[in-house]
Amino acid sequence: MLAVAVAMTAMTNKPAAKTPNIVLFFIDDLGYGDLSVTGALGYKTPNLDKMAVEGTRFTNFMAAQAVCSASRAALLTGCYPNRVGVYGAFGPSSPLGLSPKEETIAELVKAQGYATGIFGKWHLGSDQEFLPLQQGFDEYYGVPYSHDMWPLHPWQEQAKYPPLHWIDGNKPSKEIKNLEDASELTPVITEHATAFIRKNKNKPFFLYVPHPLPHVPLAVSSRFKGKSERGIFGDVLMELDWSVGEIMKELKAQGLDENTLVIFTSDNGPWLNYGDHAGSSGGFREGKGTSFEGGQREPCIMRWPGVVPAGRVSNKLLSTLDILPTIAKLTGAKLPKEKIDGIEFTALLKGDESKSPREEFLYYYRKNSLEAVRKHDWKLVFAHPGRTYEGSLPGQNGKPGPSPEDHAFPEALYNLERDPGERYNVLEQNPEIVAELRKIADAAREELGDDLQQKTGKNVRPVGTAVRK
């Protein structure tokens, strides 16, 4: 009896398991085929390849929308971006931003005692009321929007972009005047991220690293310039891989490696009309700015030693929408008060492949157009005007080629299990599946609306609008 009592006391006094640190990489315009582990040629990404060996690679992982601001809003709120009123890519003069009423990952984990930092590209509103420090982050150093929105843009005469500055907290810092200055983007962000880890090594933290590259214009430090066989694009990818490696090394140096979940993915597919300055969709159809798989299916690697199975490849359907509720589950944080669209996948993350947490996915684009719906491996594309890269030669040396925005795509059904390239329309052969997918679309239109059918959703929330004097 004494032995039992001692054992029970020991169990009672055992310290509670620590909640994990979270490191979230969100790379800009990185295509599915842009890592050597997913087939890239002409350069290697050894740190990401190692991360895949030590963790799990998710091959059916979807960005919520194929454009900058919308995809970032979805990641941080767990909502389809149109639910929170965000669409497109906010320009420097836009008064819009992610509403401060929305609850972000940073706000949820901060309530659990986490330190929160973002180093990189924000792009959810450049007015101070929308910047990261007002959205749950303790620290911010980065650029407020895409780094092509600057005075060197070819469309400067029409756009009249203002000077681009680093933002430190809430205040503009050093100006990024040219490509030489832009070559500091990846090293400076890496330096701030590793310093954040050292500073917060004794408390749980959420570190968000949304690298601005390889979004054009491409720029790379002297350390990596000319190092790849793929030109400057390969050089940039080698430097981004180096950045991941430096941050992983810092986690190990601080004894945090085994209690940190690291997530690596991208905001949308490659900007294909930039040719040799663009990445690869890995064989999927189209790229950035489209609702085909090349625009939204992204590389995704997750690593957490002893928790996430090493060397695993999972083909289950997941999305950036699902990251918020999963982080909330792992950290004990409460979910947002308002409705979200993400589905937590902790069991799948830890190796349970018995079922897929996500069965359906909605492909919205433009302001609020429902261009496609998916259930399991069946995808129904609705007739819509959209961007296409096909039939036009891409540009070279940083200059874009044509990418018509009004191509008339017909209604089509694709079986992504057998036809991941979306080339064979099997709509007429599968009327029952088409009917089932149309029901999913009808429910989405009731909930979120659809500009293609001029329908307003019942459960959408307003975007933030700056109060300007």
Side-chain angles (χ1 to χ4, degrees):
M1 290 180 64
L2 179 60
V4 171
V6 170
M8 291 181 65
T9 302
M11 291 174 65
T12 304
N13 294 335
K14 184 178 179 180
K18 293 168 62 179
T19 55
N21 305 304
I22 310 291
V23 177
L24 174 56
F25 292 97
F26 205 49
I27 312 301
D28 202 339
D29 288 5
L30 184 79
Y32 188 91
D34 287 336
L35 311 180
S36 46
V37 74
T38 59
L41 300 173
Y43 59 90
K44 296 288 187 183
T45 53
N47 292 299
L48 286 161
D49 296 352
K50 185 172 185 283
M51 185 177 165
V53 169
E54 297 175 346
T56 293
R57 186 161 62 88
F58 294 91
T59 65
N60 222 332
F61 191 86
M62 310 300 296
Q65 206 169 114
V67 66
C68 293
S69 296
S71 65
R72 289 157 204 278
L75 175 73
L76 290 179
T77 66
C79 297
Y80 283 110
N82 43 324
R83 184 181 292 283
V84 296
V86 176
Y87 60 92
F90 297 146
S93 62
S94 174
L96 304 181
L98 179 65
S99 172
K101 293 181 181 179
E102 299 296 339
E103 296 178 79
T104 67
I105 295 173
E107 289 171 301
L108 299 184
V109 299
K110 189 172 183 178
Q112 295 297 102
Y114 274 61
T116 55
I118 166 179
F119 308 102
K121 173 181 163 181
W122 176 239
H123 216 168
L124 287 172
S126 52
D127 285 75
Q128 183 171 319
E129 63 197 271
F130 302 131
L131 290 178
L133 298 195
Q134 285 65 247
Q135 303 279 11
F137 288 95
D138 300 322
E139 295 183 35
Y140 170 47
Y141 194 88
V143 291
Y145 37 76
S146 298
H147 67 284
D148 67 335
M149 296 176 174
W150 65 337
L152 292 185
H153 196 287
W155 298 344
Q156 177 62 18
E157 290 184 6
Q158 299 99 309
K160 294 185 169 61
Y161 287 127
L164 174 64
H165 292 84
W166 288 97
I167 304 295
D168 187 352
N170 283 324
K171 301 297 182 183
S173 182
K174 182 181 177 182
E175 183 179 352
I176 302 173
K177 297 179 181 179
N178 49 42
L179 288 175
E180 184 178 353
D181 289 345
S183 72
E184 299 177 359
L185 284 168
T186 300
V188 168
I189 289 165
T190 306
E191 181 182 335
H192 278 80
T194 53
F196 178 84
I197 292 170
R198 291 191 295 273
K199 178 180 177 181
N200 295 287
K201 63 183 179 181
N202 294 320
K203 63 185 299 188
F205 59 78
F206 169 53
L207 170 60
Y208 177 39
V209 189
H211 274 296
L213 292 159
H215 191 298
V216 293
L218 298 182
V220 68
S221 73
S222 58
R223 181 185 307 184
F224 289 92
K225 190 172 183 178
K227 298 298 183 182
S228 82
E229 298 173 4
R230 173 68 163 76
I232 190 171
F233 184 87
D235 299 346
V236 167
L237 262 292
M238 289 176 67
E239 186 158 47
L240 288 168
D241 180 76
W242 163 84
S243 174
V244 172
E246 289 298 294
I247 290 169
M248 300 293 277
K249 280 198 302 186
E250 193 62 52
L251 291 172
K252 287 188 177 182
Q254 302 303 328
L256 304 173
D257 181 60
E258 294 189 359
N259 195 45
T260 301
L261 170 62
V262 181
I263 302 171
F264 178 95
T265 190
S266 171
D267 68 339
N268 51 246
W271 210 346
L272 292 174
N273 58 315
Y274 276 86
D276 60 343
H277 281 217
S280 165
S281 64
F284 294 115
R285 185 173 176 180
E286 300 285 1
K288 174 179 178 173
T290 79
S291 51
F292 290 97
E293 295 299 287
Q296 291 187 242
R297 197 182 298 205
E298 307 305 329
C300 179
I301 305 170
M302 301 190 192
R303 177 188 182 274
W304 182 4
V307 180
V308 175
R312 178 177 61 143
V313 175
S314 176
N315 300 320
K316 301 295 186 183
L317 176 62
L318 290 174
S319 168
T320 49
L321 299 165
D322 306 325
I323 288 178
L324 178 145
T326 302
I327 288 176
K329 178 86 170 179
L330 292 171
T331 61
K334 293 181 179 179
L335 289 174
K337 299 179 185 66
E338 299 287 348
K339 184 174 182 178
I340 66 170
D341 300 292
I343 302 169
E344 67 92 3
F345 61 96
T346 50
L348 177 64
L349 179 69
K350 294 177 180 180
D352 182 359
E353 294 273 339
S354 62
K355 61 180 181 179
S356 178
R358 173 169 292 282
E359 296 184 347
E360 300 173 2
F361 185 74
L362 308 176
Y363 296 77
Y364 275 92
Y365 193 59
R366 298 200 169 180
K367 186 172 183 180
N368 196 31
S369 295
L370 183 60
E371 296 184 352
V373 296
R374 178 177 172 182
K375 183 170 183 179
H376 301 305
D377 290 317
W378 289 103
K379 180 176 179 180
L380 179 62
V381 175
F382 299 107
H384 68 277
R387 177 184 298 179
T388 184
Y389 299 100
E390 298 184 356
S392 301
L393 284 174
Q396 296 290 308
N397 301 317
K399 299 293 177 66
S403 56
E405 295 285 340
D406 57 355
H407 181 79
F409 290 103
E411 187 174 43
L413 177 70
Y414 300 107
N415 182 342
L416 297 177
E417 179 183 31
R418 292 187 288 116
D419 178 25
E422 298 172 280
R423 295 297 174 184
Y424 303 98
N425 183 359
V426 293
L427 187 130
E428 292 185 2
Q429 294 95 322
N430 298 277
E432 292 181 359
I433 290 169
V434 171
E436 183 180 5
L437 290 168
R438 283 180 177 155
K439 286 182 181 179
I440 294 170
D442 288 341
R445 292 176 183 121
E446 285 291 312
E447 179 79 6
L448 298 173
D450 180 9
D451 288 350
L452 292 174
Q453 294 197 1
Q454 299 181 333
K455 290 189 175 181
T456 301
K458 295 178 179 178
N459 291 303
V460 295
R461 305 192 285 270
V463 68
T465 303
V467 178
R468 293 176 175 176
K469 296 180 180 179

